[in-house]
Amino acid sequence: MSLLEVRSVTKAFGSLVAVNDVSLSVAPGELRAIIGPNGAGKTTFFNLITGFFPPTSGHILLDGKDITEVAAVDRVGMGMARTFQITEIFPELTVRENIRVAVESQAGLRLRPWINRRQTAEVDDKIDEMLVATRLTEQADRLVGELSHGDQRSAEIAMALALKPRILLLDEPTAGMGEQETFQVAGLIRRLHKHTGYTIVLIEHDMRVVFNLADRIMVLTEGTLLAEGTPDEIAANPAVQAAYLGTAE
Amino acid sequence: MSETTIPAMADRTQQRNWLPLAAIWLVLITVPIWLPYVGGYNALASRVLVFGLAAMGLNLLLGFTGTMSFGHAAYFGLGAYGAGFVLRYWIHSTPLAMLAAILLGTAAGALFGALMAKRTGIYFAMLTIAFAQICYYVAYSWNSVTGGYDGLRGFQRAPLHFGPYIVNIRDNGVLFYYFVLAVFAICTGLMAMLLRSPLGRSFIAIRENPRRTRFLGIPVERHVWISFTISAFFTSVAGGLYALLNNFADPTALFYVISGNIVIMAVMGGMRSFWGPLIGAAVFVTLQDYISSMTVNWMSFIGMIFVAVVLFFPRGLLGFIGRRRRA
Amino acid sequence: MSALEAEGLNTFYGKSHILFDVSLKVEEGMITTLLGRNGAGKTTTLRSLVGLTMPRTGSVKIFGEDSSRQPPYRAAKRGVGYVPEGRKIFAHLTVEDNLRVPLERPGPWTIERVFQTFPRLAERRTNKGRQLSGGEQEMLSIARALLLNPKVLILDEPSQGLAPLIVKDVFRMVEQAKADGMSVLLVEQNVRASLEIADYAYVLDHGVMSWSGTAADLVKDEERIQALAGASAEEWSFDDDLSTKEAEAFSHQPSTVA
Amino acid sequence: MLTLVLFNVTNGLILGMFYVLMALGVSLILNLSNVINFAHGNFLALGGYLTFVLEPYLGYWGALLAGPICVGIIGLIIERTAIRRVYDRDPVYSLLLTFGLAFIIQDLCRTIWGPNGLPLSIPNALNSPLSQQFFFITGYRIFLIAVVIVAVAALFGFLTYTRVGTRIRAGTFDIETVSALGINIGLLRSLNFAVGIFLAGLAGVLAGGQIGLNPNMGDDLLLPAFIAIIVGGVGSLTGTLVGGLVIGVASAVTSIWWPAGSEVIMYILMIVVLLVRPRGIMGEEGVMT
Amino acid sequence: MESTPTPGVGRRTLIKSGVALGAMSLAGPAIIQARGETPVKLGWIDPLTGSLSALAQSEVEGAKYAVSVLNKKNGILGRPIELLVEDSANDVGTGVAKARKLIDRDHVNMIFGDVNSGIAYAIEGVTNEKKIFHIVPGGHTDEITGKDCKWNVFRICNTTSMDANAVTGELIKHYGKRWYFITPDYAYGHTLQAAFIRALKKHGGEYQAAMMPIAASDFSATLIKARAYKPNVLLNNMGGLAQIDCMKQFVQFGMNKQMGLGGALYELESIKAVPPVAQTGWWDMEWWWNQPNVPEAVAFVKAFRAATGKTPSARHWFGWVAIHTAKMAAEKAKSLEAIKLARATEGMELPPDVALQPGKVFYRAGDHQLMPNIFVGQVHPPKGDDNVFTVADAVPGASIWPLADTGCHMAYPA
């Protein structure tokens, strides 16, 4: 059974149809990439999955359960974590503090106006684990806003991981990054996928990332599904080539 | 909130230099000793603490949750009336008066907060004014209970009883100051604890980035509501103290001008720092007191100070200092 | 003299360094295209040129006149027309009102001429911006920039999100602008189409200008074009080994495939 | 009873005109510059006083225009020297700044012209009721309505038919793009601020003729102006217009049965409107929050 | 507006207060208690800003004038008088804070104030607690010398009931028995309206009433209602700026042609601020300057005009009487101790050059209320300088407000 299933969702903003009758099925442990030119509706599609806004029609199922009507914040509790195209972090807090918010939320402490020593220690341990996993230990006490782009993205992923999600949704994790940083973040995603078997869905522009990481790829253009398949199938698909590079007349 | 800010999370507060903290408490504890020498008087010091507490309470919402309220006079004023009702109609007990202040102010905060939590920005701010003004008009119109425009009068704060010991805060201004200071200390202690707790961190997270916070599984609206309620709680404590200080409660305490004053104290002092609002309140209250004795044109002076703070201290008075210390 | 000349731009967003010593020239009467993958810093380059984002260092010259660190309206006054990414039309204004916003520099372009040139806009002149289709919005955005009677036209991904037929129209407009004597700086992800009409090309990669030359040269360089789209995926060798600590950290994460 | 209601609806519309004039100024400034001008009521008073000063030299009709223009110029100077510095900052700083200005202007008025209030004499021709039946519709109030209608029409005409006006409306939506299209937005904001203050000054002159001048005369209009904007929907000037008239009528009609409630009804109305329509009557999704 | 310190009359300058106070505190009590040169400090609290500021400023002006006169004549107990003026800003909290400040910090010997009855009442709480002699020059609410009277508090202006009782007969005589009230919604308004209604009912009249916010500025809706009731007379009980606004709208609507206008107080400050057509009706004056048959009043008005360029109003007179009361009480008691001052003031009669009116003017012992004449008469457009009121009758206060009606039970501390 698929972990995430999207059944013919459509999203219209007024007269503009941003996503048109798109379906998707992600198996447990799969790393799925969504690609397509700018404005193809990828982020809108992502926002529908994570509950940022409701679809105009269609259904979204997590683990067989219809979550179309579930609020974004509750989807997080059901095991869905995401990152954003433009890094969404708490820039004036340190890396450790950023992760702490996520860890505490995950530990169900978010309503607690006090915290005892034992819990603090537990939280600290988890934060350290996240720092190790994302190789941010050395930057732990720096303000996130002062870090390099790649480290900021790693921190954002660390926050998502701290939620112990069942599925991780990454929106252009390497957008705006240098060569080295792209490699760093791609490496992190790959380690995550390989060593924990995380189910990951990512939107990506950098084809090296996509082709090196993805198990399967779906291609969107103009809000509709253009193609779906393994990296090799997609690479060989002329329609995809055209969509990406344009056609010389 | 686009400004770079001074975060106040546990990791750094723990490493913080304890000296400024000790200095603040030393100054506050010794007030009755040095105050007369600089031309002050105990009621003024109590007033500074009362408004300082109100402004710090508001700042939990404004500076640490990033949500604007123009209507905190409601919780301040209801706190004052709550205390007044108990002393006037029921029983001569200062602790019960404070309890009533807290219950009335916090309940109103929780109720109004629940009605507003889904609104944002200017709509939220205007709703806070609206609810406060409605409280104002109720207090103003309900003569038989509140005394209307003339206020609720004819009560006095009661001495405190600790078993056989009686602390006469009614007649002794110094003792009353220490009573206010004790309450202030408890409240600021609670605030500091809150800001180091997971709940407090979620508030700061909302201030920093509501969208990220939501996608960490924290229901933003509910937490804004909680923050609003807690903020109303502290402000209502201040309101209760205000009634005890004046032996009086009147609708002006609910008026939007008071809300504005509380916001201004917080902003002027530095809304991103824990103690900033207290500094703002101290500057505002003492300047107003001093200048208004010297010239009937005191409003111009206060106004010019506001303008100067905006133009020359972009982070508020304490924010400026804090910034330099960090740099 | 170049229409536009940028020299050593370094631009930051907050603390993130986005552009590293970026230099480029837009020659008079030519179409220059700026290519690069998403997030390479193309939009930031354009914003730095017109003054919407102030570069921290570096200089910008418009027809030889220094206009570094000047507010955006100065660049416009000197004849730089800017068609922003995402079109940025005023959704609550009518088409006609949208066209009345830009500064009126003297020149051939008037609202009447716009309506003659773009009959579709004339038909919809009283419609609100938000009621237009994507293609109409793009036309409106370009027309709005033309009304400045610019000497240089800067377009940021004009084909984004448009149907192929409309994309052709857009490119025709760009060629027409050149024919009218304008210099054009075109940022595009539609690499082949833009190289088709461009005279010069620059390639921006991770905030660094990695290639420049004539469009004709770039067209021949199929490998580089493929790389631009990232379609040729060279194998990366990842360091997938974990330290014991990392392994420990990962082992605490939930696994969906047990 | 019906007559009474009818009278009060009419009276409420007249009252609403004041709110509209005041609220449009606040709204213009809020929309383009994101500044909530708490000193607006004080600019209103200043406008009235300046007219009072100019009247002996220019006559009533001359001063009617010159007073608001002078206060508009004062507003312009204050905008250029102080207010523009808070545009890019958290809105609470503009609050602090305009609160300070409000204090200064109010105190200045009191110091210069005294706390007592001064009568602003209006031409005698305007000073009597038109009919016995509609006694509350005095010549002056007709005149007032006419001036407000002309001013509002002029404002909407300016915003609709002039390029500068169109640019102001565009700037409400996306100020950055306006600047990229060659418009000096610093100048645009200054001009817009001056127009807003001019409207406050005009309201001050009209209010001065009705109730006389005093240093606090604008205070009672400030919050109703904010309410009018919120009820109408932030970002929409038409909404502000509607909002002002609605709260004017609501307030006047309420005072038939509950005179003390004439103010509180505005707040209740605002809460109800926002609970039903979160962005006010004419507010649009996506235009400012 | 005058805000600069006058020599000898001490609104302190900016520097003076800080430095002098610091110095004094450091030097300790020796200096403060030194006899002879040490001034007698009088603390005065009034709403110098806000809607009642015109009235408040007149009171302060009168008080300052009295201080300057008395300081030329040996001050109080041979010591100069220092008047410390504080702005209550028409806010109770501020007023109370200022009272504490004057008492705790400045160690004033007496407190005066406030025009706003609510603030006056709140200040009483402080002065009573601290046992400070307190004179209320211009806050009218009955309770201050009624059921809430206090041993340390004396009042100069009339009670609302005195004012209402004095004018009711004339209003009925000149207009009729069908009345419409426009009344401010606070203690002063409530007691005033209640007093009028009591008096009106004795004559078998009928009425309707509208309660307005104290600082209301738009009365059109209320006036529409008032006209619909078709009363013989409209009683404008508003105060300060609100009263002025109401008057203006009243005449703008032409209602002056349909009904009479009257009420308790239409003070000189307010009359001067309305257009001539609104200068009309039957009213009380608590003191009136134009008393050609009272030589002391004539001399006072002349001297006051020479000193200030203004015609004295009742508010000026309150200030004048208040300072003189302080002097007379202190000299009779030979002390500044509150209890002795209070005992001395009870029953004390004002001499003609202080009372400035015919007949016996005295502080009634039972309720600490001054018993002057109430001048009932007609307001009209000026006939010469500030001559806007013609006195028809001077009603002795005691005759219309028997002690039994006050509800006051005076109790001194044991």
Side-chain angles (χ1 to χ4, degrees):
Chain A
M1 197 182 65
S2 49
L3 182 62
L4 174 71
E5 194 175 348
V6 179
R7 289 186 189 156
S8 354
V9 293
T10 295
K11 177 70 188 178
F13 297 102
S15 60
L16 179 82
V17 181
V19 172
N20 191 1
D21 192 22
V22 177
S23 298
L24 166 73
S25 173
V26 182
E30 180 181 336
L31 198 156
R32 170 69 65 107
I34 302 172
I35 64 171
N38 262 5
K42 303 184 297 293
T43 297
T44 306
F45 185 59
F46 235 54
N47 285 340
L48 291 171
I49 296 174
T50 53
F52 202 77
F53 36 61
T56 312
S57 65
H59 291 273
I60 297 153
L61 290 83
L62 184 68
D63 223 0
K65 201 175 150 213
D66 191 328
I67 58 164
T68 317
E69 302 292 320
V70 175
V73 67
D74 298 323
R75 293 189 198 190
V76 177
M78 299 171 87
M80 207 181 243
R82 77 171 288 184
T83 65
F84 292 82
Q85 193 171 354
I86 297 164
T87 322
E88 297 273 10
I89 44 173
F90 307 125
E92 290 295 323
L93 307 184
T94 63
V95 177
R96 196 183 287 281
E97 288 163 345
N98 267 270
I99 300 172
R100 186 183 299 279
V101 176
V103 170
E104 285 171 349
S105 172
Q106 196 279 328
L109 297 170
R110 58 185 172 261
L111 281 172
R112 286 276 295 277
W114 69 86
I115 186 162
N116 63 34
R117 224 171 263 279
R118 184 180 55 81
Q119 284 162 329
T120 307
E122 279 174 17
V123 169
D124 282 338
D125 285 349
K126 282 186 196 156
I127 295 170
D128 286 338
E129 265 178 28
M130 292 305 122
L131 289 169
V132 168
T134 51
R135 297 184 178 165
L136 281 171
T137 310
E138 278 173 33
Q139 284 89 336
D141 293 313
R142 289 182 60 195
L143 295 189
V144 169
E146 290 172 351
L147 299 184
S148 74
H149 216 122
D151 286 345
Q152 287 187 3
R153 181 67 73 185
S154 297
E156 199 189 8
I157 292 173
M159 290 163 85
L161 289 183
L163 297 171
K164 299 204 168 171
R166 310 187 53 206
I167 181 165
L168 195 55
L169 296 127
L170 310 172
D171 189 354
E172 296 203 24
T174 69
M177 270 174 210
E179 191 75 32
Q180 193 49 46
E181 290 173 327
T182 303
F183 188 70
Q184 171 198 337
V185 171
L188 170 60
I189 296 168
R190 191 177 149 102
R191 284 201 304 280
L192 271 177
H193 180 54
K194 279 226 153 140
H195 293 281
T196 69
Y198 257 121
T199 313
I200 297 175
V201 179
L202 59 85
I203 294 175
E204 187 49 73
H205 265 94
D206 192 319
M207 291 305 146
R208 291 169 299 178
V209 178
V210 173
F211 286 95
N212 275 299
L213 298 184
D215 299 322
R216 287 180 73 80
I217 299 173
M218 82 184 281
V219 188
L220 288 180
T221 52
E222 294 167 48
T224 56
L225 184 67
L226 181 72
E228 194 180 354
T230 62
D232 292 342
E233 287 164 14
I234 294 299
N237 188 327
V240 175
Q241 283 265 329
Y244 256 77
L245 297 174
T247 37
E249 292 153 80
Chain B
M1 310 248 162
S2 58
E3 297 246 340
T4 44
T5 56
I6 296 151
M9 276 201 160
D11 296 341
R12 246 157 306 131
T13 40
Q14 276 155 9
Q15 301 157 11
R16 189 176 55 188
N17 197 338
W18 54 270
L19 252 171
L21 194 67
I24 285 170
W25 287 110
L26 188 70
V27 166
L28 290 178
I29 288 169
T30 56
V31 157
I33 300 168
W34 53 263
L35 195 63
Y37 297 98
V38 294
Y41 52 102
N42 291 320
L44 179 70
S46 302
R47 212 171 142 86
V48 165
L49 284 186
V50 166
F51 279 105
L53 180 57
M56 287 174 78
L58 169 78
N59 203 43
L60 272 184
L61 189 70
L62 178 66
F64 290 101
T65 317
T67 302
M68 184 67 170
S69 166
F70 283 154
H72 261 47
Y75 319 108
F76 187 74
L78 286 175
Y81 275 104
F85 288 150
V86 166
L87 293 170
R88 174 79 171 74
Y89 296 122
W90 187 36
I91 190 172
H92 286 283
S93 160
T94 298
L96 284 177
M98 288 306 296
L99 190 66
I102 291 167
L103 285 178
L104 194 59
T106 313
L111 176 67
F112 297 157
L115 291 169
M116 295 185 285
K118 288 213 170 126
R119 305 285 171 267
T120 52
I122 191 168
Y123 290 100
F124 185 94
M126 287 305 297
L127 277 175
T128 59
I129 299 192
F131 284 114
Q133 288 293 94
I134 286 171
C135 292
Y136 168 77
Y137 285 108
V138 168
Y140 190 111
S141 312
W142 199 3
N143 269 301
S144 54
V145 174
T146 61
Y149 174 84
D150 302 281
L152 186 69
R153 54 203 192 184
F155 64 81
Q156 277 203 316
R157 57 188 182 246
L160 296 174
H161 294 264
F162 293 104
Y165 301 101
I166 296 174
V167 181
N168 192 354
I169 59 167
R170 186 182 66 202
D171 301 322
N172 186 327
V174 175
L175 287 181
F176 180 67
Y177 170 78
Y178 280 115
F179 169 72
V180 175
L181 184 62
V183 176
F184 178 82
I186 294 169
C187 287
T188 49
L190 286 174
M191 279 184 214
M193 191 180 92
L194 178 75
L195 286 173
R196 289 159 191 238
S197 77
L199 184 63
R201 269 188 285 276
S202 75
F203 295 161
I204 296 171
I206 290 168
R207 175 192 82 192
E208 289 288 307
N209 191 334
R211 173 188 292 192
R212 177 74 272 170
T213 310
R214 185 187 312 278
F215 280 94
L216 291 179
I218 295 171
V220 171
E221 285 91 8
R222 192 173 75 191
H223 279 238
V224 167
W225 171 69
I226 293 170
S227 172
F228 193 88
T229 307
I230 293 173
S231 171
F233 165 84
F234 287 117
T235 308
S236 66
V237 172
L241 292 173
Y242 191 61
L244 299 181
L245 172 65
N246 291 337
N247 287 326
F248 203 88
D250 79 322
T252 319
L254 290 158
F255 201 46
Y256 78 96
V257 173
I258 293 285
S259 302
N261 287 350
I262 297 174
V263 171
I264 278 168
M265 288 170 198
V267 176
M268 190 159 72
M271 58 179 180
R272 290 302 162 78
S273 68
F274 186 77
W275 294 104
L278 177 66
I279 304 295
V283 170
F284 187 102
V285 171
T286 53
L287 276 182
Q288 182 173 1
D289 186 76
Y290 275 56
I291 299 174
S292 71
S293 314
M294 290 162 204
T295 163
V296 74
N297 296 98
W298 59 269
M299 285 177 96
S300 287
F301 286 91
I302 300 276
M304 283 186 258
I305 287 165
F306 292 172
V307 173
V309 166
V310 172
L311 298 184
F312 306 120
F313 296 90
R315 270 158 234 283
L317 296 169
L318 207 65
F320 180 69
I321 300 166
R323 183 83 192 156
R324 293 192 52 165
R325 209 179 58 211
R326 249 186 86 206
Chain C
M1 188 169 42
S2 312
L4 257 181
E5 189 175 352
E7 189 72 48
L9 298 181
N10 280 283
T11 304
F12 293 71
Y13 281 132
K15 281 154 189 151
S16 328
H17 198 162
I18 307 292
L19 297 186
F20 300 85
D21 286 318
V22 167
S23 302
L24 71 84
K25 270 186 195 172
V26 177
E27 295 300 339
E28 247 179 294
M30 304 286 184
I31 296 177
T32 304
T33 184
L34 177 61
L35 304 170
R37 278 202 312 269
N38 235 39
K42 303 183 298 279
T43 297
T44 307
T45 308
L46 299 192
R47 289 177 62 90
S48 303
L49 286 174
V50 296
L52 284 169
T53 304
M54 294 289 171
R56 197 168 291 179
T57 60
S59 72
V60 176
K61 282 185 189 151
I62 300 171
F63 292 101
E65 243 183 294
D66 184 62
S67 77
S68 317
R69 272 168 289 283
Q70 300 256 332
Y73 74 92
R74 297 257 180 195
K77 265 192 175 147
R78 289 186 181 154
V80 178
Y82 177 57
V83 181
E85 186 187 14
R87 309 184 267 273
K88 298 277 175 70
I89 57 150
F90 304 111
H92 66 313
L93 298 188
T94 61
V95 167
E96 199 160 4
D97 279 346
N98 264 281
L99 296 173
R100 279 146 48 85
V101 173
L103 181 76
E104 302 163 271
R105 274 168 45 90
W109 283 99
T110 59
I111 295 181
E112 287 69 45
R113 186 167 164 206
V114 163
F115 284 149
Q116 282 163 18
T117 318
F118 305 91
R120 191 82 192 113
L121 292 182
E123 278 167 38
R124 314 210 59 174
R125 67 203 299 165
T126 56
N127 283 99
K128 293 269 167 76
R130 76 167 75 81
Q131 297 165 309
L132 302 187
S133 71
E136 288 164 344
Q137 291 190 355
E138 186 63 47
M139 274 182 221
L140 181 58
S141 187
I142 293 174
R144 213 173 47 180
L146 289 176
L147 277 167
L148 275 166
N149 285 300
K151 292 189 275 183
V152 192
L153 192 59
I154 298 180
L155 301 104
D156 194 351
E157 302 214 7
S159 71
Q160 182 183 319
L162 297 184
L165 220 61
I166 313 274
V167 174
K168 272 184 213 159
D169 278 349
V170 169
F171 278 90
R172 261 202 296 279
M173 278 182 239
V174 175
E175 284 189 287
Q176 184 58 44
K178 180 187 170 186
D180 291 345
M182 283 177 228
S183 322
V184 177
L185 176 57
L186 174 67
V187 162
E188 252 309 324
Q189 51 176 343
N190 195 331
V191 175
R192 294 197 205 280
S194 66
L195 285 176
E196 191 83 359
I197 60 168
D199 301 293
Y200 289 98
Y202 285 88
V203 176
L204 195 61
D205 200 2
H206 302 306
V208 178
M209 206 56 97
S210 64
W211 189 91
S212 68
T214 64
D217 285 347
L218 189 55
V219 169
K220 287 179 221 146
D221 192 347
E222 184 61 24
E223 200 175 324
R224 189 175 291 279
I225 291 180
Q226 291 283 334
L228 262 176
S232 72
E234 81 265 34
E235 278 292 321
W236 270 345
S237 59
F238 284 104
D239 163 28
D240 287 334
D241 296 336
L242 300 182
S243 67
T244 43
K245 264 180 98 178
E246 282 173 351
E248 157 99 12
F250 277 124
S251 70
H252 289 151
Q253 285 298 318
S255 169
T256 37
V257 278
Chain D
M1 194 66 212
L2 191 66
T3 339
L4 207 55
V5 173
L6 183 73
F7 277 15
N8 275 285
V9 169
T10 318
N11 190 48
L13 287 172
I14 300 174
L15 195 63
M17 293 278 181
F18 265 118
Y19 297 154
V20 164
L21 208 51
M22 178 88 174
L24 283 176
V26 176
S27 197
L28 273 177
I29 296 168
L30 175 66
N31 291 349
L32 191 67
S33 304
N34 214 2
V35 166
I36 299 177
N37 184 16
F38 266 87
H40 212 76
N42 305 92
F43 281 109
L44 177 145
L46 194 60
Y49 278 114
L50 288 175
T51 308
F52 174 82
V53 171
L54 294 170
E55 200 180 355
Y57 308 101
L58 301 171
Y60 181 77
W61 304 102
L64 176 69
L65 213 59
I69 289 175
C70 285
V71 76
I73 293 170
I74 292 172
L76 186 72
I77 295 168
I78 292 175
E79 195 271 350
R80 302 290 296 182
T81 49
I83 291 178
R84 61 171 42 221
R85 305 222 211 157
V86 297
Y87 285 153
D88 298 328
R89 292 168 59 189
D90 192 308
V92 295
Y93 292 102
S94 69
L95 168 83
L96 184 59
L97 182 66
T98 55
F99 239 83
L101 287 174
F103 273 32
I104 296 171
I105 299 172
Q106 186 185 341
D107 197 46
L108 226 64
C109 289
R110 189 177 24 246
T111 308
I112 299 173
W113 291 288
N116 277 354
L118 296 168
L120 182 65
S121 49
I122 50 179
N124 270 333
L126 299 176
N127 218 348
S128 57
L130 290 186
S131 79
Q132 278 302 306
Q133 174 67 19
F134 290 93
F135 63 95
F136 58 91
I137 303 183
T138 62
Y140 184 73
R141 293 182 120 202
I142 293 277
F143 167 72
L144 185 154
I145 297 166
V147 172
V148 175
I149 290 176
V150 169
V152 171
L155 176 71
F156 277 80
F158 164 71
L159 291 173
T160 312
Y161 298 112
T162 69
R163 282 186 181 256
V164 175
T166 309
R167 284 164 190 158
I168 287 175
R169 281 187 296 141
T172 299
F173 190 77
D174 179 356
I175 191 92
E176 186 178 75
T177 303
V178 172
S179 94
L181 290 171
I183 309 305
N184 183 342
I185 54 170
L187 220 56
L188 196 68
R189 279 172 157 167
S190 299
L191 177 77
N192 179 68
F193 192 85
V195 170
I197 299 299
F198 171 86
L199 292 178
L202 193 62
V205 183
L206 296 176
Q210 173 116 332
I211 57 173
L213 303 167
N214 72 69
N216 315 330
M217 63 190 283
D219 295 3
D220 289 345
L221 290 172
L222 186 67
L223 284 178
F226 290 156
I227 297 169
I229 294 170
I230 298 293
V231 166
V234 176
S236 161
L237 289 181
T238 323
T240 302
L241 184 65
V242 173
L245 295 178
V246 165
I247 60 168
V249 171
S251 161
V253 171
T254 306
S255 67
I256 303 175
W257 296 282
W258 182 29
S262 61
E263 281 184 63
V264 71
I265 191 69
M266 300 183 205
Y267 295 99
I268 295 173
L269 188 74
M270 174 166 101
I271 291 170
V272 170
V273 166
L274 289 191
L275 289 179
V276 180
R277 280 187 66 95
R279 283 173 184 275
I281 299 173
M282 320 267 289
E284 287 165 18
E285 206 66 38
V287 181
M288 288 221 0
T289 47
Chain E
M1 186 178 55
E2 194 228 20
S3 63
T4 44
T6 0
V9 184
R11 170 169 298 150
R12 295 142 298 157
T13 59
L14 201 141
I15 302 158
K16 202 171 150 195
S17 71
V19 173
L21 268 162
M24 254 166 21
S25 316
L26 284 171
I31 293 178
I32 292 171
Q33 284 168 5
R35 293 271 158 175
E37 283 310 301
T38 320
V40 173
K41 288 184 170 182
L42 307 182
W44 194 291
I45 305 166
D46 253 344
L48 300 172
T49 51
S51 73
L52 295 172
S53 55
L55 306 177
Q57 295 198 1
S58 290
E59 276 186 9
V60 171
E61 212 168 23
K64 281 183 179 175
Y65 176 69
V67 168
S68 69
V69 168
L70 290 184
N71 269 346
K72 285 182 203 131
K73 297 193 251 174
N74 265 338
I76 292 177
L77 296 169
R79 291 158 58 182
I81 305 169
E82 189 184 355
L83 186 65
L84 310 182
V85 181
E86 293 283 353
D87 181 9
S88 67
N90 216 13
D91 166 43
V92 177
T94 309
V96 169
K98 292 298 175 74
R100 291 193 187 277
K101 172 183 182 176
L102 286 168
I103 296 167
D104 291 352
R105 190 189 78 171
D106 299 330
H107 306 289
V108 294
N109 301 96
M110 306 176 196
I111 289 278
F112 301 80
D114 185 298
V115 169
N116 178 320
S117 320
I119 304 178
Y121 195 97
I123 295 173
E124 275 180 44
V126 182
T127 56
N128 193 256
E129 171 198 326
K130 304 261 182 189
K131 296 188 175 57
I132 300 285
F133 186 65
H134 179 183
I135 293 177
V136 180
H140 288 79
T141 318
D142 281 8
E143 280 92 332
I144 290 177
T145 52
K147 68 175 170 29
D148 291 323
C149 64
K150 297 197 165 61
W151 66 267
N152 67 318
V153 178
F154 288 79
R155 173 160 58 187
I156 294 169
C157 72
N158 300 331
T159 68
T160 54
S161 294
M162 290 163 77
D163 285 339
N165 293 346
V167 76
T168 299
E170 297 287 347
L171 288 169
I172 290 174
K173 195 168 92 196
H174 291 280
Y175 299 121
K177 292 181 190 172
R178 189 176 166 86
W179 291 10
Y180 193 92
F181 293 97
I182 295 183
T183 301
D185 193 2
Y186 75 118
Y188 163 74
H190 295 187
T191 54
L192 181 60
Q193 184 174 313
F196 267 126
I197 290 171
R198 269 199 308 276
L200 179 65
K201 277 186 176 160
K202 274 186 205 153
H203 294 86
E206 51 183 351
Y207 69 94
Q208 232 181 42
M211 283 282 174
M212 295 296 287
I214 183 172
S217 60
D218 181 83
F219 291 88
S220 50
T222 307
L223 289 173
I224 289 171
K225 244 173 97 181
R227 210 185 94 138
Y229 182 66
K230 298 193 170 53
N232 305 125
V233 54
L234 180 96
L235 278 89
N236 182 348
N237 290 335
M238 303 302 291
L241 287 172
Q243 187 182 30
I244 296 170
D245 291 344
C246 183
M247 294 290 188
K248 285 182 180 166
Q249 288 161 48
F250 179 76
V251 296
Q252 275 169 4
F253 290 168
M255 289 169 68
N256 49 338
K257 298 186 189 94
Q258 282 143 2
M259 63 190 75
L261 185 64
L265 291 178
Y266 194 6
E267 304 193 46
L268 181 58
E269 286 84 353
S270 303
I271 298 175
K272 282 158 76 173
V274 299
V277 271
Q279 296 172 335
T280 178
W282 282 82
W283 303 86
D284 293 322
M285 285 290 165
E286 296 183 282
W287 179 79
W288 185 243
W289 63 272
N290 193 12
Q291 302 178 69
N293 302 324
V294 182
E296 291 85 358
V298 173
F300 170 78
V301 172
K302 190 165 170 246
F304 188 85
R305 280 179 168 162
T308 64
K310 287 180 187 163
T311 305
S313 68
R315 295 283 167 180
H316 288 110
W317 180 76
F318 295 162
W320 168 261
V321 172
I323 301 295
H324 278 87
T325 302
K327 176 190 169 72
M328 285 154 45
E331 289 178 351
K332 189 169 158 196
K334 299 191 177 54
S335 163
L336 290 170
E337 226 176 285
I339 293 190
K340 289 182 184 162
L341 286 170
R343 291 286 187 204
T345 312
E346 285 188 345
M348 190 168 76
E349 194 181 329
L350 301 183
D353 63 336
V354 176
L356 307 175
Q357 55 189 285
K360 184 183 174 192
V361 178
F362 65 102
Y363 287 97
R364 186 155 69 186
D367 60 351
H368 292 184
Q369 172 66 42
L370 186 71
M371 287 294 148
N373 292 295
I374 301 155
F375 300 82
V376 182
Q378 201 171 11
V379 170
H380 48 71
K383 303 171 182 169
D385 262 0
D386 293 324
N387 188 0
V388 291
F389 183 74
T390 302
V391 181
D393 195 8
V395 184
S399 71
I400 48 167
W401 189 233
L403 185 57
D405 288 3
T406 63
C408 166
H409 302 284
M410 194 60 69
Y412 276 83

